[in-house]
Amino acid sequence: MPRVRVDDGAVATAFHSERYVHLDGRPAAAFAPLSRFWRTADGWVRTHANYPHHRERLLTALGLTSGAGVDAVAAELGRRRALDVEEEVYGAGGLAVAVRGAAEWAAHPQGALVAGQPLLTLERAGGAPGPGPVQEPPGRAALPCAGVRVLDMTRVLAGPVATRTLALLGADVLRVDSPRLPESQDVHNDTGMGKRSALLDLARSVDREAFEDLLARADVVVTGYRPGALDRFGLSAEALAARRPGLVVAELSAWGRYGPWGGRRGFDSLVQAATGIALHEGSSLRPGALPAQALDHGTGYLLAAAVLRALTERHLDGGTWVVRAALARTAHWLQHELDAAPPAEAAGEPYAPEPWLAERAGPLGRLRYARSPSGTRAAPRTGRGRPAGGAPTWPAGRPAADGRAGGPRTAPFRCRRPGRLRAVDAATAAPAG
């Protein structure tokens, strides 16, 4: 195997990558005004309202008008109990959790279930022959994931970090988004590196047909939507494994796919608040947060590692594989299963991120971004540029994941709706180096 290099400065920079990404000198947008900690009548809640539809659902749950601001929300929450807010906002489709201590979370039914789960799950879901020899694309033969096709159906941070990692290791990653859902361009600038992207509305038959053609020749599907949200399209792990032998399915969730919170949405900040991290980093007088969105980044890298393990198992012995990770389980690992860090040395050079930052001129402007924290001797720490002026195309001439060759699966696929492509921005045009 090629040697792998990792250093503390590179990891620290990568775990702050969304903060270091700049476009033409402009930093990425921070949390929205209604995404924050709030005092309640008996404690604190944490809300997430970065997306417009989540903001509207939060305000609806609180009985406020769509134009309500911070003062109105603070006054309304100050009259309510934290657990009541948690349930009322969830019932309206919004995002809010009561701030809990670690012991309180451990006693919660979801917390107890999470603690009993493995950090990562890797399960063989069915039999299938090995994929056969992978035909490596020209110029990428030295990269560990060269020739592997990944359909990326994730959003925001943890899932895109996982698929960005696979892309920078040589995988051909195509991110598919719905045109119905907004996404942050700043987040895409950070996590879109090395990928291509397309817009497909799976509720439309023509887009669904295009997606099914892509799926037919994919090796890996990574999903990061709320558990159950994609089931109606036949994209649960079980459905995919049944109709696509030889696939590796990776599922990411906030709270796990089990228990009373198994179907809930969640984000890193909310999981920190619910599991006791916020009180550990602050106090009951004022909750705090980790210095980085470590649950997102950590879970993303863990999920990428699990995908690599599943691909290795498939290569050795065939099979269809399912891997799963959850932000809440990563939080439990961080709090209860890691050795205590040694005290920081009083003396020493202060950390500076500049050695692990790079810049690149691209279609949207000049992009500053964090380089990948790991790589092999042959693999670059940044993504290779990929054209986005046409339709998404899998590399031609390699067998399907089930080992069968020939027929239309070996030909380049071209989306039937090239006009629906989202232009790849400067983040995906970063050069090797």
Coordinates of all heavy atoms in Angstrom, one line a residue, residues 342-386:
P342 N -3.8 14.6 26.1 CA -2.8 15.1 27.0 C -2.9 16.6 27.1 O -3.4 17.3 26.2 CB -1.5 14.7 26.3 CG -1.8 14.5 24.9 CD -3.3 14.0 24.9
P343 N -2.5 17.2 28.2 CA -2.6 18.7 28.4 C -1.7 19.4 27.3 O -0.7 18.9 27.0 CB -2.1 18.9 29.8 CG -1.4 17.7 30.2 CD -2.0 16.6 29.4
A344 N -2.2 20.5 26.8 CA -1.5 21.2 25.8 C -0.2 21.7 26.4 O -0.2 22.2 27.6 CB -2.3 22.3 25.2
E345 N 0.9 21.7 25.7 CA 2.1 22.3 26.2 C 2.0 23.8 26.3 O 1.4 24.4 25.4 CB 3.3 21.9 25.2 CG 3.5 20.4 25.2 CD 4.7 20.0 24.3 OE1 5.4 21.0 23.8 OE2 4.9 18.9 24.0
A346 N 2.5 24.3 27.4 CA 2.5 25.7 27.6 C 3.3 26.5 26.5 O 2.9 27.6 26.1 CB 3.0 26.1 29.0
A347 N 4.4 25.9 26.2 CA 5.2 26.6 25.2 C 5.0 25.9 23.8 O 4.5 24.8 23.7 CB 6.7 26.5 25.6
G348 N 5.5 26.5 22.8 CA 5.4 25.9 21.5 C 4.9 27.0 20.5 O 4.4 28.0 20.8
E349 N 5.0 26.6 19.2 CA 4.6 27.5 18.1 C 3.1 27.5 18.1 O 2.4 26.5 18.1 CB 5.2 27.0 16.8 CG 6.7 27.2 16.7 CD 7.1 28.6 16.7 OE1 6.4 29.5 16.2 OE2 8.2 28.9 17.4
P350 N 2.5 28.7 18.0 CA 1.0 28.8 17.9 C 0.6 28.2 16.5 O 1.3 28.3 15.5 CB 0.7 30.3 18.0 CG 2.0 30.9 17.5 CD 3.1 30.0 18.0
Y351 N -0.6 27.6 16.5 CA -1.1 27.0 15.3 C -1.5 28.1 14.3 O -2.2 29.1 14.7 CB -2.3 26.1 15.6 CG -3.1 25.8 14.4 CD1 -2.7 24.9 13.4 CD2 -4.4 26.4 14.2 CE1 -3.4 24.6 12.3 CE2 -5.2 26.1 13.1 CZ -4.7 25.2 12.1 OH -5.4 24.9 11.0
A352 N -1.1 27.9 13.0 CA -1.6 28.8 12.0 C -2.0 27.9 10.8 O -1.3 27.0 10.4 CB -0.4 29.7 11.6
P353 N -3.1 28.2 10.2 CA -3.6 27.3 9.1 C -3.0 27.5 7.7 O -3.2 26.7 6.9 CB -5.1 27.7 9.1 CG -5.1 29.2 9.4 CD -4.0 29.3 10.5
E354 N -2.3 28.6 7.6 CA -1.8 29.0 6.2 C -1.1 27.8 5.4 O -1.3 27.7 4.2 CB -0.9 30.2 6.3 CG -1.7 31.5 6.4 CD -2.3 31.7 7.8 OE1 -1.7 31.0 8.8 OE2 -3.2 32.4 8.0
P355 N -0.3 27.0 6.1 CA 0.4 26.0 5.3 C -0.5 25.0 4.7 O -0.2 24.3 3.7 CB 1.3 25.3 6.4 CG 1.6 26.3 7.4 CD 0.3 27.1 7.5
W356 N -1.8 24.9 5.2 CA -2.7 23.9 4.7 C -3.9 24.5 3.9 O -4.9 23.9 3.7 CB -3.2 23.0 5.8 CG -2.1 22.3 6.5 CD1 -1.4 21.2 6.1 CD2 -1.4 22.7 7.7 NE1 -0.4 20.8 6.9 CE2 -0.4 21.7 7.9 CE3 -1.5 23.8 8.6 CZ2 0.5 21.8 9.0 CZ3 -0.7 23.8 9.6 CH2 0.3 22.9 9.9
L357 N -3.7 25.8 3.5 CA -4.6 26.5 2.7 C -4.1 26.6 1.3 O -2.9 26.7 1.1 CB -5.0 27.8 3.3 CG -5.6 27.8 4.7 CD1 -5.9 29.3 5.1 CD2 -7.0 27.1 4.7
A358 N -5.0 26.7 0.3 CA -4.6 26.9 -1.1 C -5.5 27.8 -1.7 O -6.7 28.1 -1.2 CB -4.5 25.6 -1.8
E359 N -5.2 28.4 -2.9 CA -6.0 29.3 -3.6 C -6.1 28.8 -5.1 O -5.1 28.3 -5.6 CB -5.6 30.7 -3.5 CG -5.8 31.3 -2.2 CD -5.7 32.9 -2.2 OE1 -5.5 33.4 -3.3 OE2 -5.7 33.5 -1.1
R360 N -7.2 29.1 -5.7 CA -7.3 28.8 -7.1 C -8.3 29.7 -7.8 O -9.4 30.0 -7.2 CB -7.9 27.3 -7.2 CG -8.5 26.9 -8.5 CD -7.5 26.7 -9.6 NE -8.2 26.1 -10.7 CZ -7.6 25.8 -11.9 NH1 -6.3 26.1 -12.0 NH2 -8.2 25.3 -12.9
A361 N -8.0 30.2 -9.0 CA -8.9 31.0 -9.7 C -9.9 30.1 -10.5 O -9.4 29.1 -11.1 CB -8.2 31.9 -10.7
G362 N -11.2 30.3 -10.4 CA -12.1 29.4 -11.1 C -13.3 30.2 -11.7 O -13.2 31.5 -11.7
P363 N -14.3 29.6 -12.1 CA -15.4 30.2 -12.8 C -16.1 31.3 -12.0 O -16.7 32.2 -12.6 CB -16.3 29.1 -13.2 CG -15.6 27.8 -13.0 CD -14.5 28.1 -12.1
L364 N -16.2 31.1 -10.7 CA -16.9 32.1 -9.9 C -16.0 33.1 -9.3 O -16.5 34.1 -8.7 CB -17.6 31.3 -8.7 CG -18.7 30.4 -9.1 CD1 -19.4 29.8 -7.9 CD2 -19.8 31.1 -10.0
G365 N -14.7 33.0 -9.4 CA -13.8 33.9 -8.8 C -12.6 33.2 -8.2 O -12.3 32.0 -8.5
R366 N -11.9 33.8 -7.3 CA -10.7 33.2 -6.7 C -11.1 32.6 -5.4 O -11.6 33.2 -4.5 CB -9.6 34.3 -6.5 CG -8.3 33.7 -6.0 CD -7.1 34.6 -6.2 NE -5.9 33.8 -6.1 CZ -5.3 33.1 -7.0 NH1 -5.8 33.1 -8.2 NH2 -4.2 32.4 -6.8
L367 N -10.9 31.3 -5.3 CA -11.3 30.5 -4.1 C -10.1 30.2 -3.2 O -9.1 29.7 -3.7 CB -12.0 29.2 -4.6 CG -12.6 28.4 -3.5 CD1 -13.9 28.9 -3.1 CD2 -12.7 26.9 -3.9
R368 N -10.3 30.4 -1.9 CA -9.4 29.9 -0.9 C -10.0 28.8 -0.2 O -11.2 28.9 0.1 CB -9.0 31.0 0.1 CG -7.8 30.6 1.0 CD -7.6 31.5 2.1 NE -8.6 31.4 3.2 CZ -8.6 32.0 4.3 NH1 -7.5 32.8 4.6 NH2 -9.5 31.9 5.3
Y369 N -9.3 27.7 0.0 CA -9.9 26.5 0.6 C -8.9 25.7 1.4 O -7.7 25.9 1.2 CB -10.5 25.6 -0.5 CG -9.5 25.2 -1.6 CD1 -8.8 24.0 -1.5 CD2 -9.2 26.0 -2.7 CE1 -7.8 23.7 -2.4 CE2 -8.3 25.7 -3.6 CZ -7.6 24.5 -3.5 OH -6.6 24.2 -4.4
A370 N -9.4 24.8 2.2 CA -8.5 24.0 3.0 C -8.1 22.7 2.2 O -9.0 22.1 1.6 CB -9.2 23.6 4.3
R371 N -6.9 22.4 2.2 CA -6.4 21.2 1.5 C -6.8 20.0 2.3 O -7.1 20.0 3.5 CB -4.9 21.2 1.3 CG -4.4 22.5 0.5 CD -2.9 22.6 0.6 NE -2.3 21.6 -0.2 CZ -0.9 21.4 -0.1 NH1 -0.2 22.1 0.7 NH2 -0.4 20.4 -0.8
S372 N -6.9 18.8 1.6 CA -7.2 17.6 2.3 C -6.2 17.2 3.4 O -5.0 17.4 3.2 CB -7.3 16.5 1.2 OG -7.5 15.2 1.9
P373 N -6.7 16.7 4.5 CA -5.7 16.4 5.6 C -4.9 15.1 5.4 O -4.0 14.9 6.2 CB -6.7 16.2 6.8 CG -7.9 15.7 6.2 CD -8.1 16.4 4.9
S374 N -5.3 14.3 4.4 CA -4.5 13.1 4.2 C -4.4 12.8 2.7 O -5.1 13.3 1.9 CB -5.3 11.9 4.9 OG -6.5 11.7 4.3
G375 N -3.5 12.0 2.4 CA -3.2 11.6 1.1 C -2.1 10.5 1.0 O -1.5 10.3 2.0
T376 N -2.0 9.9 -0.1 CA -0.9 9.0 -0.3 C 0.2 9.7 -1.0 O 0.1 10.8 -1.4 CB -1.4 7.8 -1.2 OG1 -1.6 8.3 -2.5 CG2 -2.7 7.2 -0.7
R377 N 1.3 9.0 -1.1 CA 2.5 9.6 -1.8 C 2.2 10.0 -3.2 O 2.7 11.0 -3.7 CB 3.7 8.6 -1.8 CG 5.0 9.2 -2.2 CD 6.1 8.1 -2.2 NE 6.4 7.8 -0.8 CZ 7.2 8.4 0.0 NH1 7.8 9.5 -0.5 NH2 7.5 8.0 1.2
A378 N 1.2 9.3 -3.8 CA 0.9 9.6 -5.2 C -0.3 10.5 -5.3 O -0.6 11.1 -6.4 CB 0.7 8.3 -6.0
A379 N -1.2 10.6 -4.3 CA -2.4 11.3 -4.4 C -2.3 12.7 -4.1 O -1.6 13.1 -3.1 CB -3.5 10.6 -3.5
P380 N -2.9 13.6 -4.8 CA -2.9 15.0 -4.5 C -3.7 15.3 -3.3 O -4.6 14.6 -2.9 CB -3.5 15.7 -5.7 CG -4.4 14.7 -6.3 CD -3.8 13.3 -6.0
R381 N -3.5 16.5 -2.6 CA -4.3 16.9 -1.5 C -5.4 17.8 -1.9 O -6.1 18.3 -1.0 CB -3.4 17.6 -0.4 CG -2.4 16.6 0.3 CD -1.9 17.3 1.5 NE -1.0 16.4 2.3 CZ -0.8 16.6 3.6 NH1 -1.3 17.6 4.2 NH2 0.0 15.8 4.2
T382 N -5.5 18.1 -3.1 CA -6.7 18.9 -3.6 C -7.3 18.2 -4.8 O -6.7 17.2 -5.3 CB -6.2 20.3 -4.0 OG1 -5.2 20.2 -5.1 CG2 -5.6 21.1 -2.9
G383 N -8.5 18.6 -5.2 CA -9.2 17.9 -6.2 C -8.7 18.3 -7.6 O -8.1 19.4 -7.8
R384 N -8.9 17.4 -8.5 CA -8.6 17.7 -9.9 C -9.8 18.4 -10.6 O -10.9 18.1 -10.3 CB -8.3 16.4 -10.7 CG -7.0 15.8 -10.2 CD -6.8 14.5 -11.0 NE -5.5 13.8 -10.5 CZ -4.3 14.0 -11.0 NH1 -4.2 14.9 -12.0 NH2 -3.3 13.4 -10.5
G385 N -9.6 19.3 -11.5 CA -10.6 20.0 -12.1 C -11.4 19.1 -13.0 O -10.8 18.2 -13.7
R386 N -12.7 19.2 -13.1 CA -13.5 18.4 -14.0 C -14.5 19.3 -14.7 O -15.2 20.2 -14.1 CB -14.3 17.4 -13.1 CG -13.4 16.4 -12.5 CD -14.2 15.3 -11.8 NE -13.3 14.3 -11.2 CZ -13.7 13.3 -10.5 NH1 -14.9 13.0 -10.4 NH2 -12.8 12.5 -9.9

